Amino acid sequence: MPKLIWSANLGEYVVDLKESPDGSQWAAAAAATGQIAIFDAATGEQKHALKGHALGAHVVAYSPDGKVLASGGQDGQIKFWSPSSGEELGRCPGGAPWVTQLAWHPVPNPKTGFYELVSIAGKKLRLWDANGAQVRAFEDSVATVSDIAWLPPFDKRELVSVCSGNALVLDAENGVVSGRRKLPNGVLVLSCSPDGKWMMTGHQDNSIHVWNLRGSTEAHMRGYESKVTRLSWDSSGRYLATNGGAEVAVWDCSGKGPEGTAPLMLAWHERTVRDQAFQHSGSSLASVDEGGFFAVWRTQVSGRPPAPLFHGKLGSGGTVLRWSADDKILVIGTESGWIRAIEII
Amino acid sequence: MKSESRIPVTVITGFLGSGKTTLLNRMLSEKHGHRIAIIENEFGEISIDHELVVQTDEEIFEMNNGCLCCTVRGDLIRTLGHIAKRRDKFDRILIETTGLADPGPIAQTFFMDDDLKNQFCLDGIVTVVDALHLLQHLDDAPEAREQIAFADRILLNKIDMVSSQEVEELEGKIHCINAPATIYRCVRADVPVEKVWRVGGFNLDHTLEIHPAFLEPEQPFAWGGVFHLPEGHAKISFHSGHGCSCNGHPEQVHGATSEHEMPSEFLLAAFPVASAWSPDFPDKAAADARALFSSEKAVPVANNVFFLPDKKLRSLDLKAHRGSSFLEVGEEGCYALFTSLSPESCDLRISVGEKEVEPEESRSFKPVHHHSGDISSVGLSLDGDLDEEKVTAWMGRLLQEKGADIFRMKGVLSVRGKDERLIFQGVHMTFEAKLDRPWGKSPRHNALVFIGRKLDRQALKAGFTACMA
């Protein structure tokens, strides 16, 4: 049964939520106040309230070694913080009024030994090291960059950036464009499968597109009730869960991929699903909707239609949902600013 | 549809230099107590620092649904999506576009995106027009015509730079493109803010209040009135528009741009009616006048003397007669007079001796426009109830076939079996329909307006009429 183990209040719409790599703390970002708060993972006690970003925050990201917390927001800045002391270590300009996305490369740069972070702000893509020094500024994108991802398996330092009509593979070593694909318009989100085989994009026209990164094939799946804003892979890289309406569609991407197959539909929510996530190593999936209902599913069922193992309700619409590293705790942010940690036994 | 809780959005369009930023600054500096977020597409000198100002790069894309006109603005979806996440909600959003922006994708964004649809409503499109350069822009720039066509409200700005007669002419041009829009004449974009916002979406009721003649069929005359005239001599005076000092405007102001294109001919028809209060006016009299205006070739007024009763369509040569004609009234009584120009535009007066005779009753009609471009508006009006299925099917088919040419559509419909008014509004192929307040005691009625390119009034009317229950 699910059991609420702690609650914390950020006072504003929770736009992002991340667990530190050692599992000791969580960082959350607030919409309009731009505050960044760090909570103790065991008790929910607020350890630090960071000033964050004037006008609003968008994103928080722990460096893979957990030594730096980076954040970005509507003041056009990328800020670097010490997760243990809450001290601001440095700040850098993203190049445009809103810094909307940050992504750390999981492996340190072998030449310098530093972890590197890519930032997107409007059409600007910049690469920083963990000290806040700019490694490079990439050439401006032709349109506002919607999303960005480092390409698995991370042996090469390549990243994909998507904007309306265009996907670029960029080589972070030398800043050059190493690949280019034409994308359909109105791209919202991007995600690469952990095995580096697939790239998925969610689009404004209620569709997702599947790109085989090792070949040249492309397929698309339509029929979503609304736009797909979250793409979540399971740990094996075989299953991809997507929102896009009140149901979560889970695609099997093994073999030749999901084209022409029917997804497993997880139907229980009555309102649009805002976020969903697979466990890090287990096979359960959790989902939360805009009405504040959340559900936990076991996805490998056959025969009968899937039903939630557990479900519950929060005080306001869910905005972001994460599993703790040990897969035991579900942490959910809400519109009204509450963060709830729920133990799933 | 949670219309009451949605945040209203006002879009301000207009050419560079028309006065958009002046208007925006005016809206921000007034003490209205509203919290406003501003989305700008070009760098404007906004003189405010406590509101949220976001600059975005215009990003238009097609919706991949095979329909070329289904374009939306990605930058607005993103930006408004972030604004919607704030718990301290704004009372209003203002979007200031670039001078050359196409309002279509902006308006469609509010119909096409589910999240935006639930959280924001397009309150109105306000187009600021520079009176001094409008004619040039209408000739040179299709964007200017489209910005006017999409507008709910038009600010005819900088009217101090042109003569009042030119202002009339400009309004006429604007009306040719977009008849239902409300036009405010102003200098330095000085209009009360409530005129600019609280448009209430496509407020058709308001449009009809301001232009009751809008939904009527076009008439071959602009004005009609009933005069009580005594037997004997009278005088009709008018200004031809040539060489005059228009309404007190100093000659030098419009001297440079003189040569107004006033018609050289003035058509009028006069015939007796039973009495000033007779139910004949305006309907029966207008029908009689229409018969005269449409079927007869105008007979010039001979020797500048106009005899009553007459019952013929007459033409007066405005150049030759230099300002006045004589009226010989054979019999005291009430006469209906219908004219091809409005009395204001030619300063028409009737006088007996030194005394001016006021019409007992009068009204303006919607004159036939000789459209200079292909953008126009069509208003349709029908009494009775519509069949919901038929009207939905017709509308769907119409928008699918002609959506690219229909810029905007708005309607207030009376559907059989529904107590509430059905409100329709659309941009190109996208539309939303929702039930509004109940009809209550007001008479049930259908009004529908289209603004677009190559509109076929007859076909639209036939299609609409076929939807009757």
Side-chain angles (χ1 to χ4, degrees):
Chain A
M1 287 302 289
K3 186 179 128 201
L4 181 69
I5 56 168
W6 56 260
S7 291
N9 196 341
L10 201 55
E12 249 293 337
Y13 190 111
V14 180
V15 286
D16 201 8
L17 189 61
K18 298 279 168 62
E19 188 187 28
S20 64
D22 65 0
S24 69
Q25 59 172 234
W26 287 81
T33 60
Q35 198 197 99
I36 311 289
I38 294 177
F39 301 99
D40 183 275
T43 64
E45 182 199 346
Q46 182 171 311
K47 298 172 78 177
H48 303 291
L50 315 177
K51 278 192 91 169
H53 301 269
L55 301 170
H58 285 299
V59 54
V60 283
Y62 282 98
S63 63
D65 62 1
K67 289 185 178 155
V68 179
L69 175 71
S71 65
Q74 297 185 12
D75 56 359
Q77 302 282 322
I78 299 128
K79 292 186 177 175
F80 295 84
W81 313 88
S82 159
S84 53
S85 69
E87 186 194 348
E88 184 181 325
L89 303 172
R91 60 175 75 181
C92 316
W98 286 8
V99 175
T100 50
Q101 195 57 270
L102 298 171
W104 290 96
H105 193 285
V107 181
N109 186 328
K111 287 181 191 150
T112 62
F114 291 127
Y115 284 99
E116 288 175 349
L117 174 82
V118 66
S119 67
I120 60 179
K123 298 174 181 173
K124 307 279 183 193
L125 282 141
R126 291 178 178 178
L127 187 66
W128 314 88
D129 71 19
N131 298 320
Q134 183 172 310
V135 177
R136 82 173 68 261
F138 294 94
E139 198 179 313
D140 283 5
S141 167
V142 289
T144 300
V145 181
S146 305
D147 206 355
I148 197 161
W150 290 98
L151 263 183
F154 312 118
D155 46 351
K156 280 195 273 180
R157 305 183 73 76
E158 282 186 330
L159 55 93
V160 191
S161 95
V162 289
C163 67
S164 204
N166 236 318
L168 293 182
V169 179
L170 300 163
D171 187 335
E173 284 302 321
N174 49 30
V176 300
V177 175
S178 56
R180 191 187 297 268
R181 292 264 172 106
K182 253 189 96 63
L183 265 192
N185 293 324
V187 61
L188 304 167
V189 280
L190 159 76
S191 185
C192 298
S193 64
D195 60 4
K197 185 174 177 190
W198 304 105
M199 179 179 109
M200 302 285 183
T201 48
H203 295 261
Q204 181 68 34
D205 62 351
N206 306 350
S207 70
I208 61 169
H209 286 250
V210 189
W211 312 82
N212 185 339
L213 288 168
R214 295 187 190 144
S216 56
T217 57
E218 181 257 322
H220 58 260
M221 279 87 87
R222 296 186 180 279
Y224 284 96
E225 192 183 314
S226 61
K227 46 192 182 174
V228 175
T229 56
R230 296 295 163 106
L231 304 168
S232 327
W233 291 94
D234 81 325
S235 56
S236 70
R238 176 172 175 179
Y239 295 104
L240 173 78
T242 57
N243 64 348
E247 294 175 45
V248 175
V250 181
W251 298 90
D252 184 348
C253 300
S254 59
K256 287 185 176 171
E259 191 183 10
T261 66
L264 176 70
M265 299 304 289
L266 307 181
W268 172 79
H269 290 280
E270 289 177 1
R271 305 270 304 269
T272 298
V273 172
R274 281 258 179 75
D275 199 3
Q276 76 280 326
F278 280 101
Q279 286 179 316
H280 298 284
S281 31
S283 63
S284 290
L285 177 134
S287 54
V288 66
D289 69 29
E290 60 180 24
F293 287 91
F294 67 91
V296 179
W297 312 75
R298 190 173 293 139
T299 54
Q300 283 155 338
V301 286
S302 52
R304 66 178 72 164
L309 290 173
F310 308 110
H311 55 79
K313 185 175 181 339
L314 306 161
S316 67
T319 60
V320 51
L321 172 151
R322 307 271 186 245
W323 287 96
S324 63
D326 61 8
D327 285 340
K328 286 182 182 157
I329 296 164
L330 202 53
V331 181
I332 307 177
T334 69
E335 287 173 7
S336 59
W338 284 97
I339 298 161
R340 311 280 191 190
I342 300 149
E343 193 173 16
I344 306 289
I345 308 162
Chain B
M1 197 66 49
K2 296 163 277 179
S3 61
E4 68 291 334
S5 62
R6 295 187 294 173
I7 303 171
V9 179
T10 305
V11 177
I12 302 176
T13 70
F15 263 43
L16 194 67
S18 60
K20 289 188 305 264
T21 308
T22 313
L23 173 67
L24 199 57
N25 279 328
R26 205 173 271 285
M27 293 167 89
L28 295 176
S29 58
E30 269 189 40
K31 289 194 178 67
H32 40 63
H34 285 212
R35 293 198 64 229
I36 300 172
I38 300 124
I39 300 174
E40 278 188 305
N41 287 141
E42 58 193 4
F43 185 72
E45 287 160 28
I46 294 187
S47 57
I48 211 91
D49 47 18
H50 62 275
E51 311 281 4
L52 178 69
V53 180
V54 191
Q55 275 159 14
T56 66
D57 290 319
E58 195 174 19
E59 182 184 312
I60 301 178
F61 60 79
E62 288 160 24
M63 279 300 286
N64 304 323
N65 57 0
C67 161
L68 288 180
C69 63
C70 275
T71 49
V72 296
R73 286 278 299 268
D75 55 318
L76 296 180
I77 295 174
R78 260 196 307 274
T79 308
L80 288 167
H82 286 299
I83 289 175
K85 287 179 181 168
R86 305 170 76 102
R87 294 183 69 213
D88 57 334
K89 296 295 183 210
F90 288 95
D91 300 307
R92 178 167 295 271
I93 311 286
L94 297 178
I95 299 173
E96 186 194 8
T97 68
T98 65
L100 294 175
D102 177 359
I106 302 175
Q108 291 198 124
T109 302
F110 293 92
F111 296 90
M112 298 290 291
D113 186 87
D114 295 335
D115 294 342
L116 257 52
K117 235 174 3 192
N118 293 331
Q119 300 181 71
F120 299 93
C121 63
L122 180 61
D123 184 41
I125 298 175
V126 178
T127 297
V128 188
V129 164
D130 171 354
L132 193 60
H133 295 107
L134 175 65
L135 290 180
Q136 183 200 334
H137 289 160
L138 288 180
D139 286 342
D140 303 346
E143 294 90 349
R145 307 179 63 82
E146 290 183 5
Q147 288 174 356
I148 288 172
F150 271 100
D152 296 288
R153 306 248 154 139
I154 292 168
L155 266 54
L156 184 53
N157 196 23
K158 307 188 185 181
I159 56 160
D160 55 333
M161 309 290 277
V162 296
S163 72
S164 63
Q165 203 159 349
E166 281 169 305
V167 171
E168 290 280 342
E169 193 189 335
L170 293 173
E171 279 202 2
K173 297 257 182 201
I174 293 171
H175 265 279
C176 275
I177 296 172
N178 182 341
T182 311
I183 302 175
Y184 295 101
R185 301 174 180 190
C186 57
V187 174
R188 283 180 294 279
D190 191 3
V191 285
V193 312
E194 62 271 17
K195 302 278 187 206
V196 179
W197 62 45
R198 297 197 198 114
V199 177
F202 297 83
N203 195 336
L204 204 56
D205 295 342
H206 184 79
T207 300
L208 297 180
E209 265 164 42
I210 295 195
H211 315 287
F214 171 65
L215 289 174
E216 294 176 2
E218 294 180 342
Q219 298 283 10
F221 38 81
W223 183 84
V226 178
F227 293 86
H228 181 258
L229 298 172
E231 188 183 329
H233 305 296
K235 202 168 87 175
I236 303 184
S237 60
F238 44 84
H239 281 291
S240 69
H242 285 270
C244 65
S245 62
C246 300
N247 300 340
H249 263 264
E251 194 75 28
Q252 60 270 28
V253 169
H254 78 286
T257 55
S258 197
E259 281 314 304
H260 304 306
E261 291 195 21
M262 287 287 283
S264 59
E265 199 183 50
F266 176 59
L267 298 178
L268 70 170
F271 46 87
V273 284
S275 82
W277 311 108
S278 99
D280 285 2
F281 190 86
D283 296 342
K284 186 177 177 301
D288 292 345
R290 194 160 52 240
L292 286 172
F293 270 82
S294 343
S295 62
E296 294 198 28
K297 194 170 155 45
V299 183
V301 173
N303 303 323
N304 205 17
V305 183
F306 193 63
F307 292 95
L308 284 179
D310 183 50
K311 286 196 171 174
K312 273 197 166 28
L313 179 65
R314 297 286 178 179
S315 67
L316 274 170
D317 185 334
L318 293 175
K319 275 185 199 146
H321 296 321
R322 297 208 160 270
S324 64
S325 283
F326 297 101
L327 259 181
E328 283 295 332
V329 183
E331 193 181 312
E332 178 178 346
C334 286
Y335 293 89
L337 178 67
F338 285 83
T339 59
S340 61
L341 296 173
S342 71
E344 301 83 47
S345 67
C346 59
D347 203 16
L348 176 85
R349 290 163 211 269
I350 293 183
S351 48
V352 174
E354 292 300 304
K355 199 163 168 276
E356 190 178 330
V357 183
E358 295 286 340
E360 309 273 335
E361 271 195 86
S362 70
R363 64 165 297 181
S364 297
F365 294 91
K366 185 184 177 190
V368 175
H369 283 300
H370 299 286
H371 301 293
S372 51
D374 56 353
I375 303 177
S376 65
S377 31
V378 168
L380 302 171
S381 168
L382 268 184
D383 285 328
D385 285 353
L386 297 173
D387 181 285
E388 189 172 8
E389 227 165 86
K390 285 186 197 165
V391 76
T392 311
W394 174 64
M395 210 81 88
R397 204 168 52 240
L398 181 71
L399 293 181
Q400 195 148 33
E401 287 166 8
K402 308 260 192 243
D405 285 332
I406 295 174
F407 293 169
R408 290 188 85 173
M409 178 200 67
K410 13 184 156 177
V412 178
L413 306 180
S414 159
V415 173
R416 171 169 285 179
K418 293 266 195 296
D419 292 336
E420 297 90 5
R421 300 151 24 118
L422 183 71
I423 307 289
F424 250 95
Q425 58 163 323
V427 177
H428 290 310
M429 285 171 137
T430 55
F431 70 92
E432 84 177 11
K434 63 175 185 201
L435 289 172
D436 186 44
R437 60 170 194 266
W439 285 97
K441 291 200 175 97
S442 56
R444 293 177 73 108
H445 182 77
N446 302 284
L448 195 56
V449 173
F450 296 91
I451 304 166
R453 225 182 262 127
K454 297 178 230 151
L455 298 177
D456 180 347
R457 185 186 183 90
Q458 294 312 318
L460 290 170
K461 189 174 181 183
F464 191 36
T465 311
C467 298
M468 296 296 289

